[in-house]
Amino acid sequence: MTANTWQELVADKRRRQQAAIPPEWMLQSPPDQSVLDVRGIPEQSGILSQQELEITNTTDVDVLLHKLATAQWSSVEVTTAFYKRAIIAHQLVNCLTEIFVERALRRARELDEHLQKTGKVVGPLHGLPISLKDQICNKGLEATMGYATWIGKYSKEDAVIVQVLYAAGAVPFVMTNVPQTLLWSETYNLVYGRTLNPANRTLGAGGSSGGEGALVAMRGSPIGIGSDIGGSVRYPSTFNGLYGLRPSASRVPYSGCVNSTEGQDSAPSVLGPISGSISGVKAFMKAVIAQQPWLLDPLCIRKKWDEEAYALSEHGGGKQLCFGIIWDDGMVVPHPPILRALRVTKAALEAAGHTVIDWHPLKHKELFDVLADIWMSAALEDINTVLAETGEPRLTSMALENNAAVETGVPYSEGISAYQLWQLHKKRIALREEYLAAWRASASTTGTGRPVDAIIGPVAPYAAPPHGKATIAAYTMAWNTLNYPCCAFPVTTVDPVQDVVQPRDTFLGDHDKQNYAIYNPETFRNAPVGLQLAAQTLEDEAVIAMTEIVDQCLRDYKAAHGIV
């Protein structure tokens, strides 16, 4: 089809997307918009068999991989089950972009035949369906990145991460929704529309990997791959009650993906996993690294999976750890549910024999500002160059109201000189050096003889907010500026009884006052609440291991105290 306008491109794309959905997977009686929590609807739909429900309700990825490797479940069975549930999820929360059922099932059949003939798995992710953010190129499919302008531009090759997934035995099976440009912490674009939060559809699913967060929360995918330049894995993970890793830069191959601000490599975006289990995060990282991705992506770090680091050999073997905790970043005080999650996590760790000390958020505003300035050094030109092809408008808001100019929180500038950009790079280096020094100096206060092992803090100062209200990214961006690996993990949900509004007379600034004003526990009812754990650069294995420890401490503590 030859289209002359972006509107015609969108209409054609929507028709093709709908045609790709098997009619028998369509909901016969979709719920009314007044039904906010839709996570239970797949089980009530009658579309999934009992076995398919058992498969998709198995959130522990290690269990799925074991059953696939031992042929208890075939890849065709598992892929079909997750595909059906993904299509159901899409009808409820609008999370998918590319749907390619036959391609995925053909791949699954090939894997089943290989296992049957050889008795061996193709790789560590054998038979496992994995969803991909709509910037990860699959040969012959479109990766629009939320741009109507890019509709009809078919990928000529698989991105390196897709090649790695195939080598590891996985089944790429859907692509998921993103905001236009990716540079948002909510998910809405003019091509596919808005992705909703499965726990409460009046709330956002996060961004820019919001389609992944919503899909995995609906148990429509066991592992999804998102990307994170300022929080885009951790926001959707936290807003949907999931686990999500922002790895150190260049640990996971990025080559062959499309991106905004492509070519800006001083503070790069990274790919990372989102899963309903921490085992999914670990399985993904181990499998990807085992394929030696540095042989395919020249920017990927040549570093094998470090089992000693995972065993926390530099952190006392994981015994009597010391965590720093951030209560607020000096700019915005978190809402009551986030503060409760911090208190519960602190209590759980201390009950298990670990130490938790307050962590001073050293120059987090400067860390935020320098990263935002690096992004925006030429972002407007980058975006406008794309949009000029068709006249597609640049979105200035994720809000429901068309006239609400709620920006990302990071203002676009007209661009700066190369020299001015170099000064930002110098400032970022100086901030990283200062933060490292402060981290090392903490050895005098931990009681372990080591610096703090990791830092725990909010992902955002709110749980999943109403549409258009996710505008504060400073809690996540600080760690991107430092290039510290971080893992988001779930803690609780908003409870209007426990999480009442706390009166305040003074505020840290305008953003703090605005954030306080949007909180109403009824508005946020049922929203998942999570935190993030950060450690130093390239400590990815240690971050995963320490998140496992925190997660188990929380489970034990909540069970002992009857906390849901």
Side-chain angles (χ1 to χ4, degrees), residues 186-446:
E186 193 178 340
T187 295
Y188 170 70
N189 61 66
L190 297 173
V191 183
Y192 303 104
R194 186 182 306 278
T195 297
L196 311 177
N197 192 302
N200 183 335
R201 293 194 291 178
T202 66
L203 305 177
S208 60
S209 311
E212 285 299 338
L215 176 63
V216 177
M218 289 292 295
R219 299 186 177 178
S221 175
I223 299 176
I225 305 178
S227 65
D228 193 313
I229 194 171
S232 290
V233 162
R234 289 161 288 159
Y235 266 90
S237 298
T238 296
F239 288 176
N240 291 284
L242 305 169
Y243 303 83
L245 179 71
R246 183 265 175 204
S248 302
S250 299
R251 197 78 198 274
V252 174
Y254 211 105
S255 178
C257 297
V258 291
N259 200 10
S260 278
T261 68
E262 198 168 356
Q264 181 279 108
D265 64 354
S266 57
S269 175
V270 302
L271 298 181
I274 297 173
S275 182
S277 67
I278 189 64
S279 68
V281 171
K282 180 187 175 187
F284 173 85
M285 290 299 292
K286 283 193 73 173
V288 168
I289 292 169
Q291 304 310 308
Q292 299 181 303
W294 47 85
L295 299 178
L296 298 173
D297 182 346
L299 300 184
C300 197
I301 293 171
R302 184 181 289 264
K303 186 178 188 297
K304 294 182 179 181
W305 176 264
D306 190 337
E307 199 61 38
E308 284 193 11
Y310 175 69
L312 299 175
S313 60
E314 296 182 16
H315 298 276
K319 308 296 182 184
Q320 295 181 324
L321 296 168
C322 181
F323 296 94
I325 193 164
I326 293 177
W327 299 99
D328 70 71
D329 64 357
M331 292 178 280
V332 178
V333 174
H335 288 166
I338 313 301
L339 294 174
R340 178 166 60 87
L342 288 165
R343 291 193 298 271
V344 168
T345 302
K346 181 177 188 289
L349 289 168
E350 291 176 338
H354 303 291
T355 303
V356 181
I357 62 174
D358 292 347
W359 181 262
H360 173 64
L362 177 67
K363 296 187 176 180
H364 276 219
K365 184 180 187 305
E366 291 184 42
L367 291 167
F368 170 84
D369 287 342
V370 75
L371 182 59
D373 289 344
I374 288 171
W375 290 352
M376 296 306 160
S377 60
L380 190 61
E381 182 178 1
D382 177 62
I383 294 165
N384 287 343
T385 299
V386 174
L387 298 176
E389 294 182 36
T390 62
E392 175 187 358
R394 177 173 69 87
L395 296 180
T396 59
S397 172
M398 293 281 111
L400 293 171
E401 305 85 1
N402 292 329
N403 62 348
V406 181
E407 279 281 7
T408 61
V410 179
Y412 288 93
S413 66
E414 291 300 321
I416 61 177
S417 70
Y419 178 77
Q420 289 171 317
L421 180 60
W422 295 348
Q423 306 318 299
L424 293 175
H425 293 169
K426 286 174 62 177
K427 184 175 182 180
R428 178 179 180 240
I429 292 168
L431 288 167
R432 293 179 72 185
E433 291 171 342
E434 192 171 354
Y435 217 96
L436 176 61
W439 194 303
R440 289 175 59 84
S442 69
S444 63
T445 61
T446 60

Side-chain angles (χ1 to χ4, degrees), residues 327-336 339 461 472 475 500-519:
W327 299 99
D328 70 71
D329 64 357
M331 292 178 280
V332 178
V333 174
H335 288 166
L339 294 174
I472 298 169
Y475 278 96
V500 297
V501 176
Q502 298 296 322
R504 290 178 60 193
D505 296 323
T506 59
F507 297 93
L508 301 177
D510 289 342
H511 289 305
D512 186 33
K513 189 173 184 178
Q514 292 162 9
N515 183 64
Y516 178 80
I518 70 168
Y519 181 66

Side-chain angles (χ1 to χ4, degrees), residues 69-269:
T70 55
Q72 295 178 61
W73 289 335
S74 71
S75 181
V76 167
E77 290 172 332
V78 172
T79 301
T80 300
F82 277 106
Y83 227 132
K84 291 169 75 171
R85 193 152 182 160
I87 295 297
I88 297 169
H90 178 62
Q91 296 170 71
L92 298 168
V93 296
N94 193 38
C95 52
L96 304 183
T97 58
E98 295 296 303
I99 298 167
F100 42 99
V101 179
E102 286 307 314
R103 179 194 289 213
L105 291 178
R106 183 168 59 250
R107 164 69 171 171
R109 284 192 290 271
E110 291 170 355
L111 292 166
D112 288 339
E113 290 169 4
H114 176 89
L115 182 59
Q116 186 176 16
K117 289 178 181 178
T118 67
K120 297 179 180 179
V121 297
V122 168
L125 298 177
H126 182 94
L128 189 72
I130 292 182
S131 49
L132 310 171
K133 185 177 183 177
D134 194 329
Q135 69 170 128
I136 300 173
C137 294
N138 287 259
K139 185 176 181 179
L141 301 176
E142 295 153 286
T144 68
M145 211 173 75
Y147 282 126
T149 302
W150 283 359
I151 295 171
K153 296 185 178 183
Y154 293 88
S155 301
K156 295 180 180 179
E157 301 292 341
D158 289 329
V160 169
I161 188 62
V162 176
Q163 298 175 44
V164 166
L165 291 177
Y166 280 129
V171 182
F173 79 115
V174 290
M175 293 171 66
T176 56
N177 203 21
V178 298
Q180 184 197 65
T181 76
L182 306 185
L183 299 174
W184 296 88
S185 50
E186 193 178 340
T187 295
Y188 170 70
N189 61 66
L190 297 173
V191 183
Y192 303 104
R194 186 182 306 278
T195 297
L196 311 177
N197 192 302
N200 183 335
R201 293 194 291 178
T202 66
L203 305 177
S208 60
S209 311
E212 285 299 338
L215 176 63
V216 177
M218 289 292 295
R219 299 186 177 178
S221 175
I223 299 176
I225 305 178
S227 65
D228 193 313
I229 194 171
S232 290
V233 162
R234 289 161 288 159
Y235 266 90
S237 298
T238 296
F239 288 176
N240 291 284
L242 305 169
Y243 303 83
L245 179 71
R246 183 265 175 204
S248 302
S250 299
R251 197 78 198 274
V252 174
Y254 211 105
S255 178
C257 297
V258 291
N259 200 10
S260 278
T261 68
E262 198 168 356
Q264 181 279 108
D265 64 354
S266 57
S269 175

